[in-house]
Amino acid sequence: MTEAKKTWTGHIQLGSKIDISVILNQLCQAFNSSPFFKHNAMTMRVVNDEIEAHIEMLPNLIGNVAFQILHGGVAATMLDSIGGIVAMGELYKQTEAEHMAETIKKVSRLATVDMRVDYLAPGRGEYFIAKAEVLRLGRKGCTMRMTMKNNEDKIIAVGTASYAY
């Protein structure tokens, strides 16, 4: 297994005891090393044993110059990303040690199949945080619900996405 693949799947050693907090932190580190995330200053982090996405409002993220609001594509990217990484974490949380090799394969090929985003308020704020929850976790795919809020805890956008693995 290549070093990049080990990083992406949380450096999990087959046959070893699963420490979910280590796995969640390693998933975040893998996402945070993405050049795209670095370019947009988006980060994934573990807070209270859950992964959340965080992004500061920066001039290069403004979509509507007249109103100085976040570009809708940034919101969609954030929602898609948090949905995917939380799905990965849930796959690890629900696996037994004897099925870890299969779970690693699922995580490494997880991909967005479909996503819907509803923009509920203008993207104003100092920073934005997105979280996700599982609606359904199946053998070949899952459905997630994601929410993005600003620093005043106002919901900016919500999304629902399906991921295949």
Side-chain angles (χ1 to χ4, degrees), residues 14-165:
L14 297 178
S16 61
K17 185 176 184 312
I18 300 168
D19 184 341
I20 195 63
S21 72
V22 170
I23 291 172
L24 295 180
N25 279 296
Q26 289 175 341
L27 283 171
C28 289
Q29 287 174 9
F31 264 73
N32 293 342
S33 68
S34 161
F36 182 73
F37 282 177
K38 286 181 182 179
H39 175 75
N40 292 306
M42 186 184 309
T43 57
M44 297 291 175
R45 58 191 185 187
V46 179
V47 176
N48 298 324
D49 297 325
E50 293 183 359
I51 298 175
E52 67 179 30
H54 180 270
I55 193 166
E56 298 284 330
M57 177 57 121
L58 298 171
N60 63 308
L61 302 179
I62 293 172
N64 185 318
V65 179
F67 293 103
Q68 297 291 296
I69 59 175
L70 189 71
H71 190 284
V74 176
T77 298
M78 192 173 189
L79 292 172
D80 184 28
S81 299
I82 193 64
I85 193 171
V86 170
M88 292 174 183
E90 288 300 317
L91 285 167
Y92 283 127
K93 285 178 184 178
Q94 296 195 14
T95 196
E96 300 293 328
E98 62 268 14
H99 300 292
M100 186 55 70
E102 181 182 325
T103 300
I104 290 170
K105 285 181 187 176
K106 285 181 179 181
V107 167
S108 67
R109 62 182 183 236
L110 187 137
T112 308
V113 175
D114 186 55
M115 185 172 80
R116 175 189 168 86
V117 176
D118 292 309
Y119 301 96
L120 305 177
R124 291 190 183 96
E126 295 174 23
Y127 62 85
F128 304 92
I129 293 175
K131 297 181 180 185
E133 65 178 322
V134 176
L135 295 178
R136 182 182 179 281
L137 194 66
R139 288 185 316 112
K140 295 183 180 183
C142 63
T143 304
M144 307 293 290
R145 176 178 295 137
M146 303 83 66
T147 304
M148 185 181 99
K149 296 180 178 183
N150 68 7
N151 56 290
E152 296 174 350
D153 210 34
K154 182 176 185 177
I155 297 175
I156 302 300
V158 295
T160 304
S162 297
Y163 301 88
Y165 34 79

